[in-house]
Amino acid sequence: MPKQSKSSRNWKTWLKSFWRDWRAFFIFVILMLIFRSAIADWNHVPSGSMEPGILEGDRLVVDKIAYDVRWPFTLRRIARWEHPARGDIVTFPSPKSRDLLIKRVVAVPGDTVQLVRNRLIINGISAEYYPLTSEEVSTIPLHNRNDYHFMYEELLGDRRVVMWAKRRLPDHASWSFGPYTVPDGTYFMMGDNRDRSSDSRAIGFIERRRVIGRAHTVAFSLDLDRYFVPRPRRFFKELL
């Protein structure tokens, strides 16, 4: 049997030493990636589509076992125990791009959804809208909040704050659409910022298999317009 060269023995010795010293770190990284892929994660918010409740620079805690459990790094389900409900804030990969989106479920399979000049109508029931008080508006951490209307939207037992611009452009598609019936196995998603959201109005119905998890809390937040200064008041803020 041929003898191993000295360089080969040194290489194997180095590999054994490297693995002994670093294996705990690599195992930790692998387990952390599996945990973030299949159980829970924190997602960066890159746009203002869910303002005013969710801001650019927020980091959201996403429960990835809220509805089911998936094989890590895939959309394949191992088990399923619940479905998204109206009003849930969910994450899903866009069917039009590689972006991970965060939107609100406004209509579930079988629902008829319609928007008439920004008034949402589900199954023939029209949402009620109430303006926020001036004091409530003053607490919204948006630099251009005077350019928007902020309204409580109440519909089918769910309540959230939505917004749209005071000065509308003629091509704003958010004024009216529908009625559409949501097909089986799909959902109609919308952003709370009705003028700045690439949602089901643009990308269509979202398949159930694409829903990754439910966002429920702001872990922490950085103000992107002020050199990433932390927003302490948003830390651990529950989403509505």
Side-chain angles (χ1 to χ4, degrees):
M1 181 178 293
K3 295 183 179 179
Q4 291 182 329
S5 66
K6 184 176 180 180
S7 61
S8 177
R9 291 196 302 270
N10 290 342
W11 177 249
K12 289 184 177 181
T13 299
W14 180 86
L15 282 177
K16 289 180 180 179
S17 176
F18 179 84
W19 175 245
R20 183 180 63 250
D21 294 340
W22 289 93
R23 62 186 175 187
F25 171 77
F26 287 116
I27 290 172
F28 169 78
V29 170
I30 292 170
L31 291 177
M32 182 183 68
L33 291 175
I34 292 174
F35 179 87
R36 292 188 60 181
S37 172
I39 299 176
D41 197 3
W42 55 90
N43 290 158
H44 170 65
V45 178
S47 74
S49 68
M50 286 295 292
E51 291 173 345
I54 301 174
L55 307 180
E56 293 182 74
D58 284 352
R59 283 278 184 172
L60 305 182
V61 177
V62 177
D63 181 1
K64 293 189 174 181
I65 56 174
Y67 309 117
D68 45 38
V69 61
R70 297 176 297 112
W71 290 106
F73 316 113
T74 74
L75 294 178
R76 296 179 58 187
R77 265 61 182 181
I78 301 172
R80 179 176 293 168
W81 41 77
E82 195 174 342
H83 292 290
R86 296 186 203 95
D88 285 357
I89 299 174
V90 299
T91 62
F92 56 93
S94 170
K96 302 291 187 180
S97 67
R98 296 182 179 180
D99 296 333
L100 182 65
L101 304 181
I102 300 173
K103 307 294 179 186
R104 189 182 298 276
V105 178
V106 299
V108 300
D111 282 348
T112 299
V113 57
Q114 185 177 8
L115 196 74
V116 178
R117 297 192 66 84
N118 264 346
R119 184 176 294 273
L120 186 63
I121 303 170
I122 304 292
N123 299 331
I125 302 173
S126 179
E128 298 291 337
Y129 292 87
Y130 308 95
L132 275 66
T133 66
S134 57
E135 291 78 13
E136 289 173 322
V137 171
S138 68
T139 66
I140 295 175
L142 294 177
H143 308 308
N144 57 343
R145 58 178 177 262
N146 291 331
D147 297 333
Y148 292 90
H149 295 290
F150 298 94
M151 296 282 182
Y152 287 111
E153 180 180 74
E154 293 187 359
L155 179 59
L156 298 174
D158 187 42
R159 187 187 194 199
R160 60 266 186 161
V161 177
V162 298
M163 59 184 281
W164 56 81
K166 293 179 179 178
R167 298 185 63 182
R168 313 298 300 277
L169 297 177
D171 61 347
H172 271 148
S174 59
W175 279 24
S176 301
F177 67 77
Y180 303 128
T181 298
V182 183
D184 289 342
T186 67
Y187 295 82
F188 197 93
M189 312 288 191
M190 291 183 70
D192 293 346
N193 185 342
R194 297 289 163 83
D195 290 331
R196 192 184 170 192
S197 178
S198 179
D199 49 37
S200 287
R201 292 170 289 178
I203 62 178
F205 301 107
I206 302 302
E207 295 176 292
R208 170 66 180 86
R209 69 180 185 87
R210 287 187 169 274
V211 178
I212 293 175
R214 181 171 60 210
H216 57 81
T217 306
V218 178
F220 63 93
S221 181
L222 303 176
D223 192 336
L224 305 186
D225 293 328
R226 296 182 176 176
Y227 306 101
F228 298 89
V229 172
R231 302 184 183 111
R233 292 185 179 180
R234 296 193 60 77
F235 286 23
F236 312 113
K237 179 180 177 62
E238 185 176 355
L239 301 178
L240 301 177

